Amino acid sequence: MYTIIEKRQLSADVFYLKVNAPDIARNRKAGQFVLVQLDIDFGERIPLTIADANATDGWIALVFQAVGATTLKLSRKNTGDKLGAILGPLGNPTHIEKKGTVVCVGGGIGVAPLHPIVQAHKAIGNKVIVIMGARNKDLLIFEDEMRELADELYIMTDDGSAGTKGLVTEPLKTICSQEVPPAEVVAIGPPIMMKFCALTTKPFNVPTTVSLNTIMIDGTGMCGGCRVSIGGETKFVCVDGPEFDGHAVDWDNMMMRMKSFKQQEQEAFHKCKMEAAADALQK
């Protein structure tokens, strides 16, 4: 069993859990993820990227948004509670090498999985420019962590309540259009954001890596639920990814597939909320 040793609420529906998982903490690399199951005998398994880890103390950090039944249940866990199973580390780690300037773009909760990638690029000696985006200042997460690591930090909000009003693609285009463009762009966030980051960098021929978070069940490439089209070839996010060339992703097909169980997810989420409200009244 995996014990929660710290819990924080980062914004309205976004939570941070520090979980005791020594084997995973020792072996994980930037860009990898885990599958979390709340109950060992029953329940959905959800993919969560490792946002941070400490091999010495044996913990990993998970950041998630309570948008479905399982994440809502997970958000109600507290320090001292246990999780049934955590499988990982899974997926291919981020390819980190000394290359010069790397621009890391995070949208919303995507800033959390971007954190270990920024750490890794800084550790190897690259200059790291971070662009963070959110709808408003209350939804910004990991700002202090990124400010501590980044050589340059741009904060963009839709309403201008923090940083500059606008989209993350605006400073990204400016940076890519410089006489010496960045060696690489890494983008993590909502699919539509990653799509437009890739469209922004393509005219400048800047290599662009994206991390995909598709529907995933077994995490071993057997179920096929996480399949995506990359450059016309079928790939599986769990074993071939989660990172891919953003210029080669069939974004429209991926976003369509991600809506496959939207109705069932919403029904399960509302049922979970109703059950929680009923339990609260009984208490």
Side-chain angles (χ1 to χ4, degrees):
M1 301 290 277
Y2 300 87
T3 304
I4 298 170
I5 56 179
E6 182 183 335
K7 177 186 179 182
R8 284 187 275 142
Q9 187 164 355
L10 302 182
S11 65
D13 297 312
V14 177
F15 297 84
Y16 170 103
L17 296 182
K18 187 182 287 186
V19 183
N20 184 51
D23 289 341
I24 298 173
R26 281 193 299 269
N27 292 287
R28 69 93 204 193
K29 291 183 173 67
Q32 291 186 296
F33 66 95
V34 293
L35 285 177
V36 177
Q37 188 169 339
L38 303 193
D39 189 292
I40 191 65
D41 297 316
F42 177 80
E44 179 185 29
R45 295 197 295 180
I46 54 172
L48 296 174
T49 307
I50 303 168
D52 202 357
N54 186 301
T56 303
D57 295 334
W59 56 261
I60 61 172
L62 305 174
V63 176
F64 63 94
Q65 188 171 11
V67 292
T70 300
T71 48
L72 183 60
K73 292 174 183 176
L74 183 58
S75 72
R76 297 192 180 120
K77 296 284 187 181
N78 293 303
T79 302
D81 289 344
K82 299 182 185 301
L83 303 179
I86 302 180
L87 176 64
L90 299 173
N92 296 304
T94 304
H95 180 67
I96 304 291
E97 64 178 0
K98 187 73 177 291
K99 57 179 61 180
T101 299
V102 177
V103 180
C104 294
V105 188
I109 195 173
V111 175
L114 196 66
H115 178 243
I117 296 173
V118 172
Q119 286 178 317
H121 276 296
K122 281 296 294 182
I124 207 170
N126 289 323
K127 177 182 178 181
V128 181
I129 300 173
V130 175
I131 305 173
M132 295 172 50
R135 291 198 305 274
N136 57 61
K137 65 177 182 180
D138 295 328
L139 298 178
L140 285 168
I141 64 171
F142 273 59
E143 181 179 349
D144 292 340
E145 289 87 344
M146 290 303 196
R147 196 175 296 280
E148 183 178 338
L149 289 167
D151 294 285
E152 296 177 28
L153 177 65
Y154 296 83
I155 294 177
M156 309 295 294
T157 51
D158 292 355
D159 62 359
S161 56
T164 302
K165 183 177 181 179
L167 303 175
V168 294
T169 49
E170 294 169 25
L172 178 62
K173 182 177 181 180
T174 300
I175 295 166
C176 288
S177 61
Q178 293 174 352
E179 185 176 351
V180 180
E184 182 185 11
V185 168
V186 180
I188 306 179
I192 193 68
M193 184 217 82
M194 293 189 287
K195 174 183 177 179
F196 278 96
C197 283
L199 288 173
T200 299
T201 61
K202 191 170 184 178
F204 302 100
N205 295 315
V206 175
T208 301
T209 301
V210 296
S211 182
L212 306 184
N213 186 14
T214 53
I215 295 169
M216 198 175 294
I217 300 173
D218 67 283
T220 63
M222 295 179 66
C223 74
C226 67
R227 69 182 181 273
V228 289
S229 178
I230 308 294
E233 296 184 13
T234 297
K235 299 289 184 181
F236 299 99
V237 172
C238 62
V239 292
D240 297 317
E243 296 183 350
F244 296 96
D245 176 359
H247 299 152
V249 177
D250 184 337
W251 293 104
D252 294 338
N253 177 267
M254 188 191 87
M255 288 188 281
M256 178 187 68
R257 284 183 51 77
M258 290 179 69
K259 297 177 183 177
S260 299
F261 302 102
K262 199 70 176 176
Q263 181 178 341
Q264 293 92 329
E265 289 172 350
Q266 290 176 343
E267 290 173 356
F269 180 69
H270 290 306
K271 181 181 178 181
C272 186
K273 288 187 74 173
M274 294 292 289
E275 290 173 350
D279 290 342
L281 285 174
Q282 289 178 357
K283 293 178 181 179

